Amino acid sequence: SRIRSHTMDKHAEQLLFTTSKLMGVNFLPVCEVQTKEVVPSDVPTLEAIQLDHDSNCPHCTAATAHTKTVFGVGNPSASLMFVGEAPGAEEDAQGIPFVGPAGQKLNQIIEAMGFARESVYIANVLKSRPKDNRTPLPSEVEQCGVYLQQQIACIKPNVIVALGSPATKYLLQTQVGITKLRGIWGEFKGFPVMPTYHPAYLLRNYTKETRREVWSDMQKVKSELSQ
Ligand code: URA
């Protein structure tokens, strides 16, 4: 609960009354009023960000290839956040990120890490499906990415996992490919970012080596979260 630190509490009022009456002085006695950190009100809630996004995002309000926008799902105070590329066909139909085949793989990864899907937060750089599932254009990423930044600022995760190239490029502001960057800690505005392969890539290249690499990246995430 918030405590108004600058208003006089009942005890202070009583003391002021007593001191004025007894000593003929009128001053506010020094007293300790318990204060608590006031919750900053300038950070919008996820719901407010979503409403703003859905009516104002230049990409999502102009794009015609999608049926539903896919804002994000999960725990608003998650310590772990996953960021993908853009909704696929199944996500577009349901309005929920990572519910298609790549989503099944992501669920397995999350579970293998020892977490429940509901305990993390999952979002994408683009909130609506690009035509024919093509790679997002830089202009689309710039427009829609603003809302991802707001989601991150609201959730304040301890770790962000960037799934695949577009998420890594956007969050780390780099052109270096995912093969070079995966497994190496980066940073987005002070938030630690672990780039790893996108689960769809993992499905297309389901080798011992790629599985070992993703698992090794997730072990780093787990150990960072347990600090
Ligand atoms: N691929 C993504 O990058 N995001 C989704 O939500 C689904 C598939």
Side-chain angles (χ1 to χ4, degrees):
S1 68
R2 291 177 198 196
I3 291 175
R4 289 161 295 157
S5 54
H6 297 298
T7 53
M8 232 188 288
D9 68 7
K10 276 271 165 270
H11 179 62
E13 254 173 36
Q14 186 60 49
L15 277 173
L16 176 61
F17 177 68
T18 312
T19 50
S20 341
K21 205 169 137 196
L22 288 180
M23 303 193 282
V25 289
N26 188 3
F27 63 91
L28 180 65
V30 178
C31 63
E32 289 206 4
V33 178
Q34 191 197 358
T35 55
K36 272 195 182 166
E37 213 180 305
V38 174
V39 181
S41 55
D42 55 342
V43 178
T45 61
L46 284 175
E47 291 76 15
I49 300 166
Q50 182 166 9
L51 281 176
D52 179 29
H53 167 269
D54 289 352
S55 44
N56 296 318
C57 173
H59 167 62
C60 296
T61 51
T64 51
H66 69 283
T67 44
K68 284 188 179 166
T69 53
V70 180
F71 183 72
V73 74
N75 178 359
S77 43
S79 55
L80 177 57
M81 179 169 180
F82 290 87
V83 178
E85 178 177 329
E90 197 57 43
E91 290 78 19
D92 182 60
Q94 292 190 37
I96 304 169
F98 284 98
V99 287
Q104 301 305 315
K105 186 44 69 188
L106 179 61
N107 289 349
Q108 284 174 8
I109 294 169
I110 294 170
E111 208 176 297
M113 293 172 79
F115 301 124
R117 179 174 155 119
E118 304 71 47
S119 71
V120 305
Y121 194 88
I122 306 173
N124 286 303
V125 179
L126 279 203
K127 312 266 185 268
S128 59
R129 187 177 192 227
K131 197 168 185 318
D132 303 325
N133 238 18
R134 60 163 168 68
T135 304
L137 303 172
S139 60
E140 294 172 330
V141 166
E142 284 314 312
Q143 291 172 340
C144 210
V146 172
Y147 298 92
L148 172 66
Q149 293 201 29
Q150 291 182 31
Q151 283 173 298
I152 295 170
C154 179
I155 294 162
K156 298 186 182 66
N158 293 343
V159 171
I160 301 171
V161 173
L163 299 166
S165 210
T168 302
K169 284 182 173 162
Y170 181 69
L171 291 172
L172 302 186
Q173 292 291 295
T174 177
Q175 286 309 311
V176 180
I178 185 69
T179 322
K180 287 231 170 71
L181 290 179
R182 64 137 285 276
I184 303 168
W185 285 108
E187 200 183 287
F188 168 78
K189 298 194 173 174
F191 296 98
V193 175
M194 174 54 68
T196 196
Y197 292 133
H198 193 286
Y201 173 86
L202 188 58
L203 287 175
R204 289 194 304 271
N205 302 275
Y206 207 62
T207 65
K208 247 192 176 157
E209 182 60 7
T210 50
R211 280 185 282 167
R212 194 193 58 73
E213 287 171 325
V214 170
W215 187 236
S216 130
D217 303 345
M218 294 309 101
Q219 299 281 49
K220 290 179 187 172
V221 168
K222 276 211 70 158
S223 86
E224 175 70 19
L225 287 171
S226 62
Q227 296 296 305

